Amino acid sequence: MAANRRSRNITEGVARAPNRSMYYGMGYQPSDMSKPFIGIANGHSTITPCNSGLQVLTDAAEAAIRAGGANPEIFGVPTISDGMSMGTEGMKYSLISREVIADCIETAVQGQWMDGVLVVGGCDKNMPGGMIGILRCNVPAIYVYGGTIKPGRWKGQDLTIVSVFEAVGEFSRGRMSQEDFDGIERNAIPGTGSCGGMYTANTMSSSFEALGMSLIGSSTMANPDHEKTGSAAESAKVLIEAVKNDLKPLDIVTRRSIENAVALIMATGGSTNAVLHYLAIAHAAGIEWTIDDFERMRRKTPVICDLKPSGKYVAVDLHKAGGIAQVMKILLNAGLMHGDCMTITGRTLAEELAHIPDVPSASQDVIRTIDKALYDEGHLAILKGNLSPEGSVAKITGLKNPVITGPARVFDDEQSGLAAIMDGTIKAGDVMVLRYLGPKGAPGMPEMLAPTSALIGAGLGETVGMVTDGRFSGGTWGMVVGHVAPEAYVGGPIALIREGDSITIDAHRQALELNVPEAELAARRATWTPPASNYPRGVLAKFRKLSSSASTGAVLDGDE
């Protein structure tokens, strides 16, 4: 096998003897020095079920790399459990972990001069963080998703983590018994794997198949199943060939392949977080991609998968129905994907999908054909207006009427907003405003799954709007608009809203409007002052100082 940059670096003459000596101390032999050194970024941890099943995948990849004549080098990357940190101070670290993961991968791969890298991840930020790190390094790479969790069960109903959050709202309003509340809490998470609906983890991992950076069929496998371990080993074999052929991420990730990924996200009803993450991924790749490109893709891509949170099914059901490959084949045949894009196997996307049936099995109803789409247009709408001049993101599927005008109920943190829902203060027709929760404001742009799920559980999902400069979980649905930019902390219009102001959310017109005269807003702006900084040092302080707007991906190495 041809050596690459790392192996050449440590074998060049007498001057490299100290470098080689360190390897001999770990059991390497002289013959190993001419082999490629391939990193394995291991996201295993016992912090969360999403990542607690990753070690077996790392072990399988390590064995396959060694059997393939290369040297595996394992290093760790951290994770934050979104589900566990939701609604707490810890959720401020979730988006930050995306950057930490990317930095860890870049630091290890570049600092140790690795020839390639295989990234193994599970929880939500593992995927974008891993891909950003891969693109920064631009050595041959592949992403191995840890796999989805299997659904929990209670009284004959499938459960996910979102079931628990929604149960809180139902129980607090007296709409659920103690027995059912306890049963859902104890049975929603049956084992290892990432949250089971088309939430953020499954959205991002599925999109990596369309992007060309993961093996076809790998993203909807369940973590406990043997096929997931086999896929990790196969991914390692494919990566060795990519190293041999010097096939790099920037040969694969292009504007056209990002269009493929976004088309897949729209077709599957994926997470609003994908907007933020693909802005950051495109930035890492040096590809021109703006928030308006999501609206362009939305208008031409139908939703053809009936998946939670707004639909019926979970990722294991999608896998049984043909998986992401079947969805992509339908989109490809409809001219909604670029089949000539390269994939990590060295074959084009069209070549990878050549054996996939043109239509899904008639025995399932998870995946639809184009003519029987659930929605003719995608679900992730970019809303603009005087309340969000840089843009905001709304998930508009599953709603009977995605339009509301109502009085603002204003909260400067998540907890007080949640309390108002739980105690019955929030009424049908209200528009909740949760602000100072953006990248700089929180800092860290936490997710609002607790309040949105409480609204659903209280029966207010269709009748109460929510506007925030924070994020939403991939499990969120309802009349909700997030990523409002500019955010409140930098003096965006959301900071100027007062209790009782009229707000309009209109997904039909892609509009988010504060119905207050401009002269009045100017007067408020003149007296507005930014809140005091409550994080003088540490990673939260660094993120607040460096983060770009949500409308550009909340990246830390941008121009802002």
Side-chain angles (χ1 to χ4, degrees):
M1 180 182 296
N4 208 300
R5 62 172 192 163
R6 169 68 180 285
S7 49
R8 288 198 300 270
N9 189 50
I10 65 169
T11 55
E12 290 174 349
V14 175
R16 296 302 183 190
N19 307 69
R20 294 194 296 269
S21 181
M22 301 288 282
Y23 289 93
Y24 295 148
M26 293 187 290
Y28 285 79
Q29 300 299 315
S31 58
D32 293 322
M33 299 306 168
S34 61
K35 300 175 183 177
F37 287 78
I38 297 179
I40 302 176
N42 183 10
H44 172 82
S45 75
T46 55
I47 290 173
T48 170
C50 307
N51 289 56
S52 61
L54 300 188
Q55 189 60 50
V56 65
L57 307 184
T58 296
D59 292 343
E62 178 189 24
I65 289 171
R66 199 176 301 281
N71 299 311
E73 294 186 302
I74 301 172
F75 60 94
V77 294
T79 195
I80 295 294
S81 171
D82 286 24
M84 292 174 173
S85 65
M86 197 73 67
T88 73
E89 182 78 359
M91 181 30 92
K92 295 179 180 179
Y93 290 86
S94 170
L95 182 58
I96 292 173
S97 74
R98 181 189 77 179
E99 302 305 308
V100 175
I101 292 165
D103 290 349
C104 286
I105 291 170
E106 179 186 2
T107 300
V109 172
Q110 301 292 63
Q112 293 299 121
W113 214 246
M114 294 174 182
D115 297 321
V117 62
L118 181 148
V119 181
V120 185
C123 201
D124 292 2
K125 307 310 174 293
N126 293 189
M127 271 65 70
M131 191 57 61
I132 291 167
I134 282 170
L135 291 167
R136 288 181 192 168
C137 298
N138 198 33
V139 299
I142 194 167
Y143 200 97
V144 175
Y145 177 45
T148 186
I149 198 170
K150 293 184 176 182
R153 297 280 291 178
W154 176 249
K155 292 186 175 179
Q157 297 296 314
D158 282 349
L159 302 175
T160 70
I161 185 60
V162 176
S163 306
V164 184
F165 283 95
E166 292 181 358
V168 171
E170 291 193 61
F171 184 71
S172 69
R173 291 296 183 94
R175 301 172 61 195
M176 178 178 287
S177 69
Q178 184 74 54
E179 178 194 11
D180 286 337
F181 181 77
D182 292 343
I184 290 170
E185 180 185 28
R186 293 171 183 170
N187 292 282
I189 308 299
T192 57
S194 296
C195 298
M198 191 49 69
Y199 310 147
T200 302
N202 284 326
T203 296
M204 295 306 297
S205 61
S206 296
S207 74
F208 286 176
E209 287 192 39
L211 191 65
M213 291 298 296
S214 289
L215 295 188
I216 300 298
S218 64
S219 67
T220 50
M221 296 174 179
N223 175 262
D225 291 347
H226 291 305
E227 66 175 346
K228 185 74 253 186
T229 307
S231 177
E234 182 61 27
S235 296
K237 296 175 185 177
V238 168
L239 177 56
I240 290 172
E241 290 302 307
V243 170
K244 184 186 301 183
N245 296 318
D246 199 25
L247 178 60
K248 297 186 174 77
L250 293 182
D251 300 324
I252 298 168
V253 180
T254 63
R255 182 175 171 84
R256 285 163 65 83
S257 70
I258 289 179
E259 287 186 339
N260 285 347
V262 173
L264 189 280
I265 291 164
M266 295 293 179
T268 55
S271 169
T272 54
N273 283 306
V275 175
L276 192 75
H277 296 327
Y278 266 96
L279 286 167
I281 287 169
H283 172 78
I287 294 168
E288 182 181 349
W289 187 266
T290 72
I291 196 169
D292 295 323
D293 284 311
F294 292 95
E295 183 63 22
R296 174 177 60 84
M297 294 298 298
R298 182 189 75 83
R299 293 185 178 187
K300 67 178 184 178
T301 311
V303 179
I304 59 172
C305 295
D306 191 3
L307 297 167
K308 290 180 181 292
S310 56
K312 293 189 294 185
Y313 297 104
V314 293
V316 292
D317 299 317
L318 175 61
H319 190 62
K320 294 173 185 175
I324 296 303
Q326 182 65 78
V327 179
M328 289 195 291
K329 186 61 174 284
I330 294 168
L331 295 176
L332 181 66
N333 288 345
L336 296 172
M337 276 192 159
H338 306 295
D340 58 347
C341 286
M342 181 57 62
T343 74
I344 186 60
T345 64
R347 297 182 291 272
T348 66
L349 184 64
E351 289 172 331
E352 288 290 301
L353 298 175
H355 67 288
I356 302 298
D358 289 332
V359 295
S361 169
S363 65
Q364 58 80 48
D365 62 347
V366 184
I367 305 171
R368 310 285 188 90
T369 53
I370 297 291
D371 61 316
K372 295 181 180 178
L374 277 80
Y375 305 95
D376 292 335
E377 294 183 338
H379 64 301
L380 298 181
I382 304 303
L383 276 53
K384 291 188 175 183
N386 71 336
L387 186 46
S388 59
E390 290 182 9
S392 57
V393 184
K395 184 186 287 186
I396 61 175
T397 53
L399 295 173
K400 296 174 184 175
N401 181 26
V403 179
I404 187 173
T405 295
R409 309 302 305 276
V410 182
F411 305 92
D412 288 346
D413 58 65
E414 175 187 1
Q415 288 70 30
S416 58
L418 176 61
I421 299 168
M422 302 292 280
D423 66 18
T425 300
I426 300 301
K427 307 296 185 185
D430 288 342
V431 178
M432 297 183 70
V433 177
L434 276 61
R435 65 189 180 188
Y436 295 103
L437 294 165
K440 293 180 181 293
M445 204 180 179
E447 294 179 350
M448 302 293 107
L449 180 60
T452 57
S453 296
L455 285 175
I456 300 298
L460 297 171
E462 293 276 3
T463 58
V464 170
M466 183 179 291
V467 175
T468 180
D469 50 8
R471 294 184 295 128
F472 292 118
S473 164
T476 293
W477 70 275
M479 183 71 70
V480 296
V481 183
H483 307 204
V484 172
E487 62 176 292
Y489 190 81
V490 300
I494 191 173
L496 308 179
I497 302 172
R498 293 181 180 173
E499 186 80 7
D501 284 348
S502 173
I503 293 175
T504 295
I505 302 170
D506 189 336
H508 293 317
R509 296 189 296 115
Q510 290 83 54
L512 182 62
E513 300 286 350
L514 176 58
N515 302 312
V516 174
E518 182 54 41
E520 170 62 18
L521 293 178
R524 295 180 189 181
R525 190 174 290 111
T527 61
W528 176 83
T529 56
S533 176
N534 51 349
Y535 297 95
R537 59 187 57 85
V539 296
L540 292 174
K542 287 189 283 188
F543 195 87
R544 169 172 282 170
K545 181 178 181 179
L546 296 174
S547 178
S548 74
S549 169
S551 64
T552 55
V555 299
L556 302 189
D557 58 351
D559 297 329
E560 295 188 23

